[in-house]
Coordinates of all heavy atoms in Angstrom, one line a residue:
V1303 N -13.7 7.0 5.8 CA -13.7 7.6 4.5 C -14.6 6.8 3.5 O -15.2 5.9 3.9 CB -12.2 7.6 4.0 CG1 -11.3 8.5 4.8 CG2 -11.6 6.2 3.9
G1304 N -14.6 7.3 2.3 CA -15.5 6.6 1.4 C -15.3 5.1 1.2 O -16.2 4.3 1.1
A1305 N -14.0 4.8 1.1 CA -13.6 3.4 0.9 C -14.1 2.5 2.1 O -14.5 1.4 2.0 CB -12.1 3.2 0.7
D1306 N -13.9 3.1 3.3 CA -14.4 2.4 4.5 C -15.9 2.2 4.5 O -16.4 1.1 4.9 CB -14.0 3.2 5.8 CG -12.5 3.3 6.0 OD1 -11.8 2.4 5.5 OD2 -12.0 4.3 6.5
L1307 N -16.6 3.2 4.1 CA -18.1 3.1 4.1 C -18.5 2.1 3.0 O -19.5 1.3 3.2 CB -18.7 4.4 3.8 CG -18.5 5.4 5.0 CD1 -19.0 6.8 4.6 CD2 -19.2 5.0 6.2
A1308 N -17.8 2.1 1.9 CA -18.2 1.1 0.8 C -17.9 -0.3 1.3 O -18.7 -1.3 1.1 CB -17.3 1.4 -0.4
N1309 N -16.8 -0.5 2.1 CA -16.5 -1.8 2.7 C -17.5 -2.2 3.7 O -17.9 -3.4 3.8 CB -15.1 -1.8 3.3 CG -14.6 -3.1 3.8 OD1 -15.0 -4.2 3.2 ND2 -13.9 -3.1 4.9
L1310 N -18.0 -1.2 4.5 CA -19.0 -1.4 5.5 C -20.3 -2.0 4.9 O -20.9 -3.0 5.3 CB -19.2 -0.1 6.3 CG -20.5 -0.1 7.2 CD1 -20.2 -1.1 8.4 CD2 -20.7 1.3 7.7
V1311 N -20.8 -1.3 3.8 CA -22.0 -1.7 3.2 C -21.8 -3.1 2.6 O -22.7 -4.0 2.6 CB -22.4 -0.7 2.1 CG1 -23.6 -1.2 1.3 CG2 -22.7 0.6 2.7
N1312 N -20.7 -3.4 2.0 CA -20.4 -4.7 1.4 C -20.4 -5.8 2.4 O -20.9 -6.9 2.2 CB -19.1 -4.7 0.6 CG -18.9 -5.9 -0.1 OD1 -19.6 -6.3 -1.0 ND2 -17.8 -6.6 0.2
E1313 N -19.8 -5.5 3.6 CA -19.7 -6.5 4.7 C -21.1 -6.8 5.2 O -21.5 -7.9 5.5 CB -18.9 -5.9 5.8 CG -17.4 -6.0 5.6 CD -16.8 -7.4 5.7 OE1 -17.5 -8.3 6.2 OE2 -15.7 -7.6 5.2
A1314 N -22.0 -5.7 5.3 CA -23.4 -5.9 5.7 C -24.1 -6.8 4.7 O -24.9 -7.7 5.1 CB -24.1 -4.6 5.9
A1315 N -23.9 -6.6 3.4 CA -24.5 -7.4 2.4 C -24.1 -8.9 2.5 O -24.9 -9.8 2.3 CB -24.3 -6.8 1.0
L1316 N -22.8 -9.1 2.7 CA -22.3 -10.4 2.8 C -22.8 -11.1 4.1 O -23.2 -12.3 4.0 CB -20.7 -10.4 2.9 CG -20.0 -10.0 1.7 CD1 -18.5 -9.9 2.0 CD2 -20.2 -10.9 0.5
L1317 N -23.0 -10.4 5.2 CA -23.6 -11.0 6.4 C -25.0 -11.4 6.2 O -25.5 -12.4 6.6 CB -23.4 -10.0 7.5 CG -22.1 -9.8 8.1 CD1 -22.0 -8.6 9.1 CD2 -21.6 -11.1 8.8
A1318 N -25.8 -10.5 5.5 CA -27.2 -10.8 5.2 C -27.3 -12.0 4.3 O -28.2 -12.9 4.5 CB -27.8 -9.6 4.5
A1319 N -26.4 -12.2 3.3 CA -26.5 -13.3 2.4 C -26.1 -14.6 3.2 O -26.7 -15.7 3.0 CB -25.5 -13.1 1.2
R1320 N -25.1 -14.5 4.1 CA -24.7 -15.6 4.9 C -25.8 -16.1 5.8 O -25.9 -17.3 6.1 CB -23.5 -15.2 5.7 CG -22.8 -16.4 6.4 CD -21.5 -15.9 7.2 NE -20.6 -15.1 6.3 CZ -19.7 -14.3 6.7 NH1 -19.5 -14.2 8.0 NH2 -18.9 -13.7 5.9
R1321 N -26.7 -15.2 6.3 CA -27.8 -15.5 7.1 C -29.1 -15.8 6.4 O -30.1 -15.9 7.0 CB -28.0 -14.4 8.1 CG -26.8 -14.1 9.1 CD -27.0 -12.8 9.8 NE -25.8 -12.6 10.7 CZ -25.7 -11.5 11.5 NH1 -26.6 -10.5 11.4 NH2 -24.6 -11.4 12.2

Side-chain angles (χ1 to χ4, degrees):
V1303 297
D1306 296 328
L1307 294 172
N1309 185 35
L1310 169 65
V1311 174
N1312 185 62
E1313 285 288 345
L1316 292 175
L1317 287 171
R1320 191 179 304 166
R1321 297 170 181 175

